[in-house]
Amino acid sequence: MIPGISPNSDLKYTPVETGEAIEYRSPKKVLDQDDFLKLLITQFSTQDPLNPVTDTAFISQMAEFTALENAMMPALIARRGDAMRDVAIDLLSAVGLERRMDHRPGELSGGECQRVAMVRALIMQPKIVLADEPSGNLDEAASAVLHELLRDVAQRNQQAFLVMTHDERLASSMDRRGYLESGVLHLED
């Protein structure tokens, strides 16, 4: 049970399948924590119970660590850093950061920081990844690489991606599209 949410609430459920990538739109430019919580509840409450620590990931940025440490943070917290180091290196390389792993965020561009944040969200292979404008700071070439990585990871690892974007190229690469209205995700077929 998620604190503060009544089991008898009138939230509507629209199932999202694992391995599926969905683009959604909101009237807000940036979704807040309540919006993400509503998405988690309305989309996944009817499926297997989620562990909010290991089964979900948010794409965000942390300023205190090198790119590699930043990417590995969930694994380090879970005391699986040694086992996940090669995974982090492979993912960072996949997004073009193989030569920037020892740099701190202040030494990276905004787009590079965003790619590190994406890798951090992916490293523990959560069931659900909520991405708010994941390619917003990236140039066209880096965006294309990231979009391909999202699709590949979703299918290979059977992860669900809910992607908030105004990037038409990314939106068109998703399996389905939808829009968020009053906390409910409406999916188009």
Side-chain angles (χ1 to χ4, degrees):
M1 172 57 65
I2 299 175
I5 302 298
S6 166
N8 300 323
S9 72
D10 59 355
L11 294 173
K12 296 181 178 146
Y13 300 98
T14 305
V16 174
E17 302 300 324
T18 58
E20 182 173 47
I22 296 171
E23 178 266 346
Y24 64 95
R25 299 191 183 227
S26 169
K28 298 179 187 178
K29 287 283 185 193
V30 177
L31 297 182
D32 59 27
Q33 193 172 22
D34 289 339
D35 292 326
F36 279 127
L37 183 59
K38 285 178 185 175
L39 278 173
L40 281 174
I41 295 165
T42 60
Q43 299 318 119
F44 299 97
S45 293
T46 59
Q47 297 179 12
D48 294 334
L50 294 176
N51 177 330
V53 175
T54 60
D55 292 340
T56 62
F58 292 87
I59 297 170
S60 61
Q61 299 180 32
M62 295 174 65
E64 300 83 15
F65 303 96
T66 67
L68 180 58
E69 292 166 337
N70 210 337
M72 291 179 57
M73 193 56 60
L76 294 169
I77 291 168
R79 303 192 190 289
R80 295 183 54 209
D82 291 339
M84 300 304 288
R85 182 180 176 83
D86 289 341
V87 173
I89 290 170
D90 288 346
L91 285 169
L92 287 167
S93 296
V95 296
L97 295 176
E98 59 276 349
R99 295 189 175 161
R100 307 286 282 166
M101 290 186 210
D102 293 327
H103 290 78
R104 297 193 185 283
E107 302 166 325
L108 300 172
S109 71
E112 288 171 330
C113 287
Q114 196 163 5
R115 286 181 274 165
V116 171
M118 175 63 78
V119 170
R120 186 176 58 250
L122 298 177
I123 191 157
M124 297 299 286
Q125 298 182 354
K127 291 179 183 178
I128 306 160
V129 177
L130 301 172
D132 189 358
E133 297 290 356
S135 56
N137 291 328
L138 304 181
D139 61 34
E140 192 171 327
S143 290
V145 168
L146 184 66
H147 300 170
E148 185 175 325
L149 177 68
L150 287 175
R151 298 289 306 134
D152 179 58
V153 167
Q155 291 174 355
R156 181 173 21 118
N157 297 340
Q158 289 298 292
Q159 292 170 272
F161 282 75
L162 290 175
V163 180
M164 168 63 172
T165 187
H166 293 91
D167 181 332
E168 188 56 36
R169 290 169 303 202
L170 177 56
S172 66
S173 74
M174 299 289 107
D175 295 314
R176 291 193 283 169
R177 290 182 165 198
Y179 61 94
L180 190 63
E181 181 179 36
S182 301
V184 177
L185 181 62
H186 302 274
L187 295 175
E188 301 168 359
D189 289 325

